[in-house]
């Protein structure tokens, strides 16, 4: 269980006597916190460890690695300005590039998982579905991804890549067995859920459940609009504390609500996504929200309700209830 892993790592940190052993144990503690989606704690422990590493002369190696982990946690929390400042500081350190340090000290098997997940993620953002699927397929047979922590993440990546594959085939009118593709993704999601170690109350850990909820929501792009599926994903990301992922799920919930004819729900979710994206400074996400709002003829800058004063009500000859209804209209 992820919480038990955190406690084991903390015990190792407490017992470490040499500075390099302490730094290495701290790295594993932060890794456990990241996998448990305990991002606030991860930031604190990583930055404290990086400071200790700097004092011990490890700023070019383990100190830089811990700082990179803090950047990852800050990004999840939506504290992008702080993450950028930290990256700027790291840029002035004569060290191995942060990403290389992050992978080199993670261990061969775990490093492979990071690489494959990053490859799939980057390929999806670049619109290269083929490359994303290759990374996901490679991960399927890799020893590293038999670790239950990684299966939910790759299930989500597989769902996203598979949906894009089907949509591309539809756009180009190419033959594709959509039912088989959907079935494969559902099987992967089910396997990831079964592999996830249950918490004492029998529930799937939140870091796994949110990835699986998002993967299931992604599939509804092919199987039929389902605002509730996207709402579950948004709620999960909100619990984890990832405002960017929350906003993305809210945007998709709004799109699904439009298809289902629920304009009020669509407007509410679009405004929430727009506010979050604006606060984060995520320009592409703001543009995506604006595009959906424009197509749906929904204003994301909700106007203030107009209220009629007593003089206007009397001049129009309205009762107080009629004036209230007219203000709402």
């Amino acid at each position: 269980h992820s919480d038990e892993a955190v406690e084991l790592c903390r015990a190792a940190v407490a017992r470490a006597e040499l500075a390099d052993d302490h730094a290495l144990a701290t790295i594993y503690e932060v890794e456990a916190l990241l996998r448990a989606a305990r991002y606030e704690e991860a930031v604190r422990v990583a930055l404290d460890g990086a400071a200790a590493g700097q004092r011990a002369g490890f700023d070019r190696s383990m100190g830089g690695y811990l700082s990179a982990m803090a950047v990852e946690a800050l990004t999840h929390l939506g504290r992008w300005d702080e993450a950028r400042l930290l990256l700027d500081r790291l840029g002035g350190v004569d060290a191995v590039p942060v990403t290389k340090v992050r992978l080199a000290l993670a261990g061969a098997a775990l490093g492979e998982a990071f690489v494959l997940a990053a490859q799939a993620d980057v390929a999806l953002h670049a619109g290269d579905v083929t490359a994303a699927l290759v990374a996901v397929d490679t991960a399927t047979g890799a020893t590293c991804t038999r670790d239950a922590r990684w299966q939910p993440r790759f299930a989500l990546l597989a769902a996203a890549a598979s949906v894009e594959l089907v949509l591309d085939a539809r756009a180009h009118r190419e033959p594709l067995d959509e039912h088989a593709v959907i079935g494969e993704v559902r099987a992967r999601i089910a396997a990831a859920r079964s592999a996830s170690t249950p918490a004492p109350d029998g529930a799937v850990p939140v870091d796994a459940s949110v990835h699986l909820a998002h993967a299931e929501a992604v599939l509804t792009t092919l199987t039929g609009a389902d605002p509730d599926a996207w709402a579950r994903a948004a709620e999960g990301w909100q619990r984890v504390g990832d405002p960017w992922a929350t906003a993305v799920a809210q945007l998709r919930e709004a799109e699904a609500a439009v298809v289902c004819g629920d304009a009020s729900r669509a407007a509410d979710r679009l405004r929430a996504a727009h506010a979050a994206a604006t606060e984060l400074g995520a320009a592409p996400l703001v543009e995506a929200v604006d595009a959906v709002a424009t197509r749906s003829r929904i204003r994301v800058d909700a106007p203030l309700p107009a209220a009629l004063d007593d003089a206007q009500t009397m001049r129009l000859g309205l009762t107080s209830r009629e004036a209230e209804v007219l203000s709402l209209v």
Side-chain angles (χ1 to χ4, degrees):
H1 187 265
S2 55
D3 291 334
E4 293 174 0
V6 171
E7 294 309 313
L8 284 171
C9 291
R10 282 182 174 163
V13 171
R15 293 184 181 183
E17 296 180 358
L18 299 177
D20 54 348
D21 290 339
H22 188 278
L24 185 59
T26 302
I27 285 173
Y28 282 111
E29 179 184 352
V30 178
E31 185 63 54
L33 288 167
L34 287 172
R35 298 282 70 79
R38 292 162 60 174
Y39 299 126
E40 291 283 1
E41 292 176 75
V43 171
R44 176 179 55 77
V45 175
L47 291 179
D48 286 348
Q54 185 178 22
R55 291 193 296 271
F58 297 146
D59 201 33
R60 298 180 66 252
S61 55
M62 286 185 272
Y65 181 72
L66 282 162
S67 295
M69 298 177 93
V71 170
E72 181 180 340
L74 287 167
T75 302
H76 279 293
L77 290 167
R79 292 159 61 181
W80 292 1
D81 288 341
E82 293 176 60
R84 290 190 188 98
L85 286 172
L86 185 52
L87 281 175
D88 288 343
R89 189 197 74 79
L90 290 172
V93 175
D94 180 20
V96 179
V98 174
T99 52
K100 188 173 181 180
V101 174
R102 180 80 168 90
L103 296 175
L105 295 180
L110 192 57
E112 185 181 11
F114 275 116
V115 170
L116 292 170
Q119 286 176 345
D121 229 344
V122 170
L124 280 171
H125 281 89
D128 191 342
V129 179
T130 301
L133 286 170
V134 167
V136 170
D137 289 341
T138 302
T140 301
T143 302
C144 63
T145 55
R146 292 173 190 166
D147 186 328
R149 297 174 303 164
W150 284 100
Q151 291 186 35
R153 183 171 180 180
F154 278 103
L156 173 53
L157 290 167
S162 298
V163 165
E164 291 302 318
L165 178 69
V166 171
L167 295 178
D168 282 352
R170 287 180 183 178
H172 294 93
R173 298 185 180 181
E174 297 172 347
L176 181 68
D177 189 344
E178 294 187 14
H179 293 294
V181 173
I182 293 170
E184 288 175 8
V185 175
R186 282 178 171 161
R188 187 187 288 267
I189 293 172
R193 180 172 283 107
S194 297
S196 297
T197 306
D201 60 1
V204 176
V206 65
D207 54 318
S209 65
V210 66
H211 282 90
L212 296 176
H214 198 113
E216 289 171 337
V218 167
L219 269 187
T220 65
T221 306
L222 303 177
T223 59
D226 187 346
D228 291 339
W230 284 111
R232 287 190 290 273
E235 289 165 4
W237 289 120
Q238 201 161 31
R239 280 201 311 278
V240 166
D242 191 324
W244 185 84
T246 300
V248 169
Q250 289 172 333
L251 170 59
R252 302 308 172 205
E253 180 185 350
E255 286 182 306
V258 169
V259 173
C260 294
D262 192 341
S264 176
R265 180 175 185 172
D268 180 66
R269 296 297 83 194
L270 279 176
R271 288 166 187 154
H274 190 273
T278 301
E279 184 175 351
L280 286 170
L285 185 54
V286 172
E287 292 172 4
V289 173
D290 286 340
V292 174
T294 299
R295 291 198 305 269
S296 310
R297 298 185 179 181
I298 294 173
R299 290 185 59 179
V300 290
D301 53 338
L304 294 173
L308 298 175
D309 59 28
D310 292 340
Q312 291 171 317
T313 300
M314 291 180 61
R315 188 173 70 254
L316 294 172
L318 301 175
T319 66
S320 58
R321 178 55 184 162
E322 288 171 335
E324 181 182 353
V325 170
L326 182 58
S327 295
L328 291 173
V329 172

